[in-house]
Amino acid sequence: MKSIRELAEKINNEVHKVVIGLDETLKFVLTGLLCSGHVLLEDLPGVGKTVLCKAIASSIGCSFKRIQCTPDLLPSDILGTTVYNQKSGDFTFRKGPLFTRFLLVDEINRAIPRTQSALLEAMAEGQVTIEGTTHPLEKPFFVIATQNPIEFQGTFPLPEAQLDRFLMRLSLGYPSEADERFILRRFTQFVPIEQIKPVVSPQDIILAQNTINQVTITEDLETYIIQIIRSTREHEEISLGASPRGLIFLTKASKAFAAIHGRDFVIPDDVKAPVSKVLSHRIKVKSSSRMKKRSESDVLDEILRNIPAPVEDDAKLTGDRS
C-alpha cells in the first residue's frame, strides 16, 4: 500500500501550504474520501473548515462547489431544475451545484429538513433522480458538510437518518499557540489558496478507493469490531446503539487508515483510531449521563478500554508487506 501512503503524503504536503496544523483531521478526511464516504465537520466559525475543503479539492484537481445553506434554500437550488427552452420548444435540465466532484455544504443545519433530505440519495448512491430521470454523479463524489455545534437559533438539527449518511464526524478545534502565531504572520493579509496545485488526479483517487478493498483484516479483528458495535447497544449509558451500517463503516475506515500508513493489513490501532469519529454521531447517550457531562466520545473511550484488543501478529508487524 505504498502507493496510497505516497498519495496521502502528496495531498498532505500540498494542503499544508495554506492549512496550519490539523494533521490528524486531514488524515481522517482523507480516510473518509478513500472509503467513498462523506464527512461532517462540526466546529466553531473561523477555524479553517472552508479553507481545508478548498485546499483538498485543489490538490486533487477536482471540480469544487460550495452551497451556503439558509432556511429559504430549496431542493431545486441544490439538485437543479427543468426549464423550458423557447427556441427549441423542449424542456432542458439545468444542473445544480450538487453536480460536482467535491461539494462543501456549509452550515447544513440551517437548511430546512426538506432540503437536507435532498442530499440523501446523492450521498448514499452517487446519483439523483429528478422527475423520474436518474442522473449519475461524477466520481469521486465527496461531500463535506459543516455545522456550528453551539448556535441553535434558526437551525434544524440533522435527524439520525441524515447523520448516518456521514461516514465520520470530525472537529477541527483551536490551533496551538505556535500555530496561531504562524497563522498571524503568514495569513493576516491573504490566504494563498491559489498556491495549491493538483498533485494527484481524480483517477488516482478512484484507483485508491478500489484498492482499499484489498486490505486484509483477520477474523480476530472482525470479532473485535463486532464487539465494539454490540457494546454500544448494551452499554447502560447509551439509549441508541450503532447500526450495522456503523459496523460496515468502521471496518472500511480501519482498512483505509491502514492503507494511508502504508500497510495492506489492519492492526488494532487502525480500528481504535477512527472509532469515535465513525460512531459518535451514530449513538445517543442518555440524558442522565449527559447531565454528568458525559459525551458519546467519553462512553466510546470507556468501551475501548473494557474490550481487550487482539494480540498483534509479530510476524506481520516486523515483515514489510507494504
Side-chain angles (χ1 to χ4, degrees), residues 65-83:
K65 291 182 181 177
R66 177 177 179 268
I67 298 172
Q68 179 61 54
C69 292
T70 56
D72 60 349
L73 189 73
L74 298 175
S76 58
D77 296 327
I78 295 176
L79 304 177
T81 186
T82 301
V83 297

Side-chain angles (χ1 to χ4, degrees), residues 12 33 48 59 64 84-85 92 116 132 135 138 150 156 166 225 237 247 259 271:
N12 182 76
L33 175 60
S59 69
F64 173 86
Y84 179 70
N85 189 324
T92 305
Q116 293 173 3
H135 302 269
E138 283 189 290
I150 64 168
F156 303 86
F166 291 97
I225 294 174
E237 294 187 65
L247 172 72
V271 176

Side-chain angles (χ1 to χ4, degrees), residues 46-64:
V47 294
K49 298 187 293 293
T50 301
V51 173
L52 175 65
C53 298
K54 286 184 176 179
I56 296 173
S58 298
S59 69
I60 301 172
C62 282
S63 55
F64 173 86

Side-chain angles (χ1 to χ4, degrees), residues 127-193:
Q127 64 182 29
V128 294
T129 302
I130 301 173
E131 297 183 3
T133 302
T134 299
H135 302 269
L137 301 171
E138 283 189 290
K139 295 182 179 181
F141 176 66
F142 187 48
V143 174
I144 292 185
T146 72
Q147 67 175 0
N148 185 338
I150 64 168
E151 193 172 41
F152 300 106
Q153 186 174 1
T155 63
F156 303 86
L158 294 175
E160 282 71 21
Q162 182 81 357
L163 282 173
D164 205 40
R165 290 298 190 275
F166 291 97
L167 182 114
M168 291 185 181
R169 181 174 66 179
L170 306 175
S171 176
L172 275 60
Y174 288 121
S176 66
E177 182 178 351
D179 286 342
E180 284 198 305
R181 188 179 301 277
F182 192 89
I183 292 170
L184 175 64
R185 293 176 176 176
R186 185 174 182 184
F187 301 131
T188 301
Q189 296 181 349
F190 68 100
V191 178
I193 193 69

